Amino acid sequence: MANRELVTLQVGHYSNFVGTHWWNIQESSFVYSPSQASGPKEICHDVLYREGENRHREVTYTPRLVAFDLKGSLKTLKQEGLLYETGADGDDIKWMGDVTMHKEVSEPLNPYLKSLEQVEIEDLSISKDISDEEKYGDHDLGTEKKKQVCQAGKGDERDTLSETKPVNLEDHINVWSDFLGTSFHPKSVHVVQEYRHKDEFSPFDLFNSANEVFSNYESTCEWEDRIHYFTEECDNLQGFHIMMDTHDGCGGLGAGILRYLEDEFPGKGIFTFCFTSADSPDSTAKERATRIINSALAYGSVTTHSSLFVPVSLASSVWQKLGKPIEIPYLNYKPMAYHTSAILASTLDTLSLPYRLETNAINLRDITHSFNSQGRKVATLNTSFPLGLYKDESLIDFFSQYGEMFPWQPVTPHVKNEKKPFIQSVVMRGVTNAMVQSKTDPSKLPDYLARLTSKEEVLRNYLSHMSQGNLFATNCLESAIKTKVPYPQIFNENVTSDGLICSTPRPEGKRVDSVPMLTSLQSTPEAGDVIRQLYESAAKMNIKKHHRYMSAGLEEDDYQETLDNLKALVTCYKTDAEAL
């Protein structure tokens, strides 16, 4: 059976924060031997990962990824990675005359990266002990053994760090590569050379700043080549995951890449997540206006060139003013990128499981086609992280206590979950059938939850009651999401090490290693409210007074066309009653 491959693109610094947590989460769930498996294999990692081979004929296992960021954003990470030894250091100099070598001072490694470096050194010595039969003989045996050598050390290291004194990484993390535990392919990282990260004199903060990037022919050919490198080795490419920032110039960069994907890969699913970080610049009227205009231009383009897209932020509002971060039960997180991106990555990892399953997986295109009917290309996202299930509490009792309310919080801003969705895809993980049955008298339980014996039945009956005839799909997995080092410890003291809720505090120094959770991807009338509020905020902007946009090539007619498209998109979400 083909692997139904996906290629992931991360465009922007905050999107790379989310992506880094996402890849770390996935690698922490790798199982390296049958003895480590706690149940049946539920997730097919080959959907997002690729198997390769380096110069030493050692098997590598890396994400099928192209990550875009600005010059100066990688810090300790080499653009070409470490696995393949590309030899691009420039030490082999043929010039016979005098040579002056200039090298930048290397950034010091933080405690987490130092621990990974030590593990990689040990892995190199282990790999030398692999027999020739394992390397070059039976392919399946050799592949599995070498995958273990390549990746297992990192998983073991996370376990070791989790059991020792907690590592406070918050003081050491400035960029996403500071906590990257995944090895990338040399084709994965594309650096935008025209702009520098956090450059005060020439910031990459306007949607149309991307025009300068696209005008560089050599650079454009380079990132196109990176995308084709991963797509051409796929046997059954089902589409693309796109994670992009929309509050700065990366919105324009992402929009241009989406246009290219739509033209180059017709018929493939393009599932886009548009991020606005909860700590985006918001101290001046100019910064707020820039965020609104960038978002309007980005959203207008994304809706045109994506199969489906989801606005995502932990800020409660992102248009006229950046709202406070939403409150999530049992979490104590800060509005810093390291924390907020972890929550969003956990949500993304869970909602994407239906098309990453080992068996009975659905095609990405089928999901996006189901959601974007009648022009509804905008979806909303909700999460219950952690699930909030008490220790010794049954799943039936958990759902019955919510009555007519949903048990999740929206991570799409300006959504209140007050309207019934047209269609939704709900994924629950980390719950077993042993946690289902209630000790409560069945006569005191809601009829739709009484006498059920499986987690699938409980979730389906609950959603059937709440959806009132609207469409929904469910998936239930036993494997909880892993939250080991370098995942931030953002859980309050009442969350146990396995993610359940307890009335007594968790022992001091004990980490939360795994968490059950629930996500809901929805096409809902409230998605129209999100776009309507953006349209109303953007329509108040007199673009002629924003001279930098005009200088960067934005025409007044183009801006007005964007507003008209947003206004038309809002009408797609009106219900029959509202249309009368």
Side-chain angles (χ1 to χ4, degrees):
M1 180 178 177
N3 288 327
R4 315 172 309 278
E5 301 95 342
L6 282 167
V7 175
T8 301
L9 276 67
Q10 297 166 190
V11 187
H13 199 65
Y14 186 71
S15 293
N16 282 313
F17 261 91
V18 178
T20 297
H21 275 300
W22 191 28
W23 301 118
N24 287 345
I25 288 170
Q26 291 185 63
E27 288 211 0
S28 68
S29 66
F30 285 177
V31 176
Y32 305 103
S33 66
S35 61
Q36 292 179 319
S38 57
K41 184 181 179 183
E42 296 180 306
I43 304 173
C44 178
H45 294 290
D46 291 337
V47 173
L48 295 172
Y49 278 74
R50 62 178 294 280
E51 182 181 306
E53 191 175 85
N54 64 15
R55 292 183 176 184
H56 303 291
R57 299 187 66 181
E58 296 168 338
V59 172
T60 60
Y61 201 54
T62 54
R64 201 175 291 108
L65 164 73
V66 181
F68 296 76
D69 213 332
L70 307 183
K71 183 169 56 176
S73 63
L74 301 186
K75 204 175 177 182
T76 58
L77 177 67
K78 290 185 177 181
Q79 182 177 352
E80 67 275 9
L82 298 174
L83 287 179
Y84 286 77
E85 299 179 6
T86 57
D89 294 334
D91 293 332
D92 186 18
I93 300 174
K94 304 299 184 183
W95 176 254
M96 300 301 294
D98 294 336
V99 174
T100 302
M101 183 77 73
H102 297 276
K103 288 189 177 182
E104 292 185 3
V105 178
S106 300
E107 293 278 356
L109 298 176
N110 62 44
Y112 174 68
L113 295 180
K114 284 182 179 178
S115 67
L116 288 186
E117 184 181 56
Q118 180 60 37
V119 170
E120 288 168 357
I121 293 174
E122 294 173 358
D123 285 348
L124 287 175
S125 62
I126 294 174
S127 65
K128 295 177 182 179
D129 297 332
I130 299 177
S131 67
D132 288 342
E133 180 181 358
E134 290 172 328
K135 280 187 178 181
Y136 311 124
D138 184 275
H139 180 266
D140 292 334
L141 174 63
T143 294
E144 289 305 313
K145 184 65 177 285
K146 286 179 280 184
K147 277 186 184 178
Q148 292 175 31
V149 169
C150 182
Q151 303 291 348
K154 294 180 181 179
D156 296 340
E157 180 64 21
R158 291 192 183 98
D159 292 339
T160 302
L161 289 175
S162 297
E163 294 170 359
T164 57
K165 185 178 179 180
V167 179
N168 183 13
L169 291 177
E170 296 177 8
D171 299 333
H172 302 281
I173 290 178
N174 297 308
V175 297
W176 52 271
S177 60
D178 285 336
F179 62 100
L180 177 65
T182 302
S183 296
F184 284 169
H185 188 274
K187 293 283 188 179
S188 281
V189 179
H190 177 79
V191 177
V192 176
Q193 298 291 341
E194 288 78 9
Y195 289 89
R196 191 167 187 85
H197 180 59
K198 289 188 176 181
D199 190 336
E200 296 180 1
F201 301 102
S202 182
F204 190 55
D205 61 342
L206 301 183
F207 180 90
N208 294 85
S209 298
N211 292 340
E212 181 180 351
V213 178
F214 290 124
S215 65
N216 186 328
Y217 178 76
E218 289 78 9
S219 177
T220 300
C221 290
E222 181 183 340
W223 62 256
E224 289 178 357
D225 174 70
R226 292 175 185 274
I227 293 173
H228 276 278
Y229 180 86
F230 292 111
T231 57
E232 289 174 0
E233 66 181 9
C234 296
D235 295 324
N236 186 21
L237 177 68
Q238 59 176 315
F240 299 87
H241 265 145
I242 311 296
M243 292 182 272
M244 56 179 282
D245 298 356
T246 55
H247 56 280
D248 56 15
C250 290
L253 182 61
I257 294 170
L258 284 172
R259 286 194 296 271
Y260 171 79
L261 294 178
E262 186 184 38
D263 293 339
E264 195 73 9
F265 303 94
K268 301 301 181 182
I270 302 177
F271 197 4
T272 305
F273 299 87
C274 293
F275 295 110
T276 302
S277 61
D279 60 347
S280 298
D282 191 59
S283 58
T284 66
K286 179 182 177 182
E287 290 174 337
R288 288 190 284 273
T290 299
R291 183 180 67 251
I292 293 170
I293 296 172
N294 286 338
S295 298
L297 293 169
Y299 280 34
S301 182
V302 169
T303 53
T304 301
H305 304 294
S306 297
S307 305
L308 186 71
F309 99 92
V310 185
V312 185
S313 179
L314 288 187
S316 54
S317 61
V318 294
W319 304 144
Q320 290 188 351
K321 187 177 181 181
L322 197 68
K324 294 181 179 180
I326 63 172
E327 294 184 5
I328 302 179
Y330 312 112
L331 293 187
N332 298 322
Y333 73 94
K334 302 174 184 178
M336 60 189 300
Y338 175 53
H339 282 189
T340 58
S341 61
I343 300 170
L344 298 182
S346 303
T347 303
L348 177 60
D349 183 75
T350 302
L351 79 89
S352 62
L353 287 173
Y355 45 90
R356 296 196 291 124
L357 295 174
E358 181 69 20
T359 58
N360 300 320
I362 190 171
N363 192 284
L364 174 68
R365 185 66 179 174
D366 294 333
I367 295 179
T368 58
H369 181 73
S370 299
F371 272 75
N372 66 18
S373 63
Q374 301 183 40
R376 297 167 180 160
K377 283 195 172 184
V378 184
T380 64
L381 183 57
N382 306 274
T383 189
S384 183
F385 177 75
L387 181 59
L389 185 68
Y390 271 79
K391 201 172 183 179
D392 300 326
E393 180 186 23
S394 73
L395 187 65
I396 291 176
D397 290 332
F398 170 78
F399 280 112
S400 63
Q401 69 179 314
Y402 281 94
E404 298 303 311
M405 297 177 59
F406 286 117
W408 45 62
Q409 294 75 40
V411 292
T412 295
H414 306 281
V415 170
K416 299 180 180 178
N417 279 327
E418 296 176 347
K419 299 179 181 179
K420 302 298 182 182
F422 303 118
I423 184 174
Q424 62 177 325
S425 171
V426 179
V427 181
M428 182 171 65
R429 66 189 305 180
V431 177
T432 65
N433 285 332
M435 305 162 67
V436 171
Q437 292 187 342
S438 171
K439 297 179 181 179
T440 305
D441 185 349
S443 63
K444 297 181 180 180
L445 292 171
D447 292 339
Y448 58 89
L449 292 177
R451 299 180 179 86
L452 301 181
T453 57
S454 72
K455 56 185 181 296
E456 291 84 3
E457 289 178 321
V458 173
L459 185 58
R460 281 198 302 266
N461 283 21
Y462 171 76
L463 291 175
S464 180
H465 172 75
M466 294 293 292
S467 299
Q468 297 180 349
N470 291 335
L471 298 174
F472 65 86
T474 62
N475 290 94
C476 297
L477 286 79
E478 293 191 1
S479 56
I481 194 161
K482 303 297 184 181
T483 57
K484 298 180 179 180
V485 175
Y487 201 96
Q489 282 300 286
I490 53 180
F491 307 96
N492 71 18
E493 61 182 10
N494 294 113
V495 181
T496 65
S497 61
D498 54 1
L500 300 176
I501 311 302
C502 186
S503 57
T504 58
R506 185 174 65 255
E508 186 177 356
K510 185 71 173 178
R511 287 184 58 92
V512 177
D513 293 327
S514 64
V515 176
M517 66 178 297
L518 184 71
T519 62
S520 173
L521 177 70
Q522 299 182 348
S523 176
T524 169
E526 293 191 43
D529 297 336
V530 177
I531 303 302
R532 176 182 55 79
Q533 293 185 49
L534 171 59
Y535 164 76
E536 292 174 350
S537 297
K540 295 177 181 178
M541 302 293 169
N542 185 349
I543 198 65
K544 290 187 292 186
K545 293 184 178 180
H546 295 271
H547 305 294
R548 291 184 62 214
Y549 280 96
M550 308 300 286
S551 300
L554 179 62
E555 300 288 344
E556 185 177 1
D557 290 343
D558 293 338
Y559 187 68
Q560 186 58 49
E561 183 180 356
T562 295
L563 295 178
D564 293 340
N565 291 339
L566 292 176
K567 187 176 181 179
L569 183 61
V570 174
T571 63
C572 298
Y573 291 87
K574 289 186 177 181
T575 60
D576 293 338
E578 294 172 327
L580 294 176

